[in-house]
Amino acid sequence: MVVANPPRAGAATAAPHTTATAATAVAGVEQASPSPAPTGRRPASASPSPTARSAAPSARAAGASARPQPTRAPLAAAAAAPLAGRIVPGTTRQGVATHYDAADGDGACLFGPSADMMIAAMNTADYETSKACGAYVRVRAASGASVTVRIVNECPGDCAVGQLDLSVQAFAKLAAPAAGRIAVSWELVSPAGAGTLSVRYKTGSSRYWCGIQVLGHRNPVARLEVRSGSGWLALPRTSYNYFLSEKGSGCGGSLRITDIYGERLTVDGIAVKPNVAQPTRVQFAAH
């Protein structure tokens, strides 16, 4: 079944800016104020309007009917990642894996085409309004085979809690694609080889309205704030993985990006250049 994702934000393949943006990293913990495999998912070509006040709706998708229950997070793991949502570090989840034709690797997270097709779509519950976007998870089959995938898409509709819909290429690392679906366990990981992260303003952004996206982050992003006066303003997150400043507050100013572990990266000098991935010199610590 072919599934339409939330609208795409223009041409996500724009060339990165050639000069690294000046940035400083500030570490600290904030207080938390037998079914066939789907045939593919593709993002729609339309772009959300800058005046939209809510996230683009998700389309329905095919998936497994089983609904395995996730394991509870140990208190120590929850304390180590105070801003984690449903995907908690140190917690092994049980579920099923299916596969889909991921085409160029773009999806609901609007990252754009993937150079590495080791990617997956997360079920809606664990996708958690795009909070899972960019997360790396290690998936294990009963055979002992494993693969690490990056979450770039949402698997809505009948995808059960705990279910992952892998690209065909990633699924093949665990079992023959003809299997369709298999039982798996999975957990969040924090890869050591990540480069530095980038920031992209959404198509249509200006100093009066802007959408801001973080790219290439090692750990899931929990919060994005913009400088507002003498303080910081947290921006709401959409299901298509942009943080919106609907009144233009902070557009083109300093940004503060926080991961689920509470580490904060403060980035300066990101100009409002719609649809351009602007590299920084910072990255979250590995865990």
Side-chain angles (χ1 to χ4, degrees):
M1 180 182 300
V2 177
V3 178
N5 286 312
R8 244 181 109 172
T13 57
H17 196 269
T18 56
T19 304
T21 302
T24 56
V26 182
V29 176
E30 290 187 354
Q31 295 299 317
S33 35
S35 64
T39 57
R41 296 177 201 289
R42 62 170 182 267
S45 58
S47 177
S49 168
T51 59
R53 294 192 173 272
S54 61
S58 298
R60 293 182 60 82
S65 58
R67 297 189 177 277
Q69 295 299 314
T71 55
R72 288 190 174 274
L75 293 178
L83 300 179
R86 293 180 57 85
I87 304 177
V88 180
T91 300
T92 300
R93 302 284 298 275
Q94 306 297 324
V96 295
T98 49
H99 63 78
Y100 73 107
D101 179 1
D104 64 1
D106 200 2
C109 296
L110 297 186
F111 289 135
S114 296
D116 181 353
M117 292 303 290
M118 296 300 105
I119 57 176
M122 182 65 75
N123 67 84
T124 295
D126 293 320
Y127 183 78
E128 201 173 1
T129 316
S130 78
K131 196 167 186 176
C133 285
Y136 289 88
V137 297
R138 182 181 295 116
V139 189
R140 293 187 184 277
S143 65
S146 68
V147 63
T148 297
V149 295
R150 182 171 61 107
I151 304 303
V152 302
N153 210 345
E154 178 186 11
C155 181
D158 293 332
C159 265
V161 175
Q163 183 174 348
L164 292 169
D165 205 18
L166 309 180
S167 67
V168 174
Q169 297 91 326
F171 189 94
K173 301 287 186 181
L174 303 176
R181 55 181 275 154
I182 58 174
V184 295
S185 62
W186 56 272
E187 62 184 345
L188 183 71
V189 294
S190 180
T196 56
L197 58 81
S198 298
V199 172
R200 179 163 59 200
Y201 277 96
K202 194 181 180 308
T203 300
S205 291
S206 69
R207 63 190 181 94
Y208 304 106
W209 178 97
C210 66
I212 308 172
Q213 181 185 55
V214 184
L215 306 166
H217 43 92
R218 171 183 278 128
N219 306 318
V221 172
R223 181 181 298 153
L224 187 145
E225 299 164 285
V226 294
R227 176 72 75 179
S228 180
S230 59
W232 294 93
L233 173 67
L235 299 184
R237 189 176 199 161
T238 70
S239 64
Y240 51 89
N241 196 35
Y242 274 83
F243 294 83
L244 297 187
S245 178
E246 296 187 304
K247 296 182 179 180
S249 299
C251 297
S254 298
L255 307 177
R256 190 162 72 177
I257 307 163
T258 307
D259 71 3
I260 63 172
Y261 298 96
E263 182 180 6
R264 293 175 294 177
L265 303 178
T266 300
V267 182
D268 298 310
I270 301 290
V272 180
K273 297 179 180 179
N275 212 26
V276 176
Q278 301 183 62
T280 71
R281 297 190 180 97
V282 297
Q283 180 59 272
F284 295 119
H287 290 267

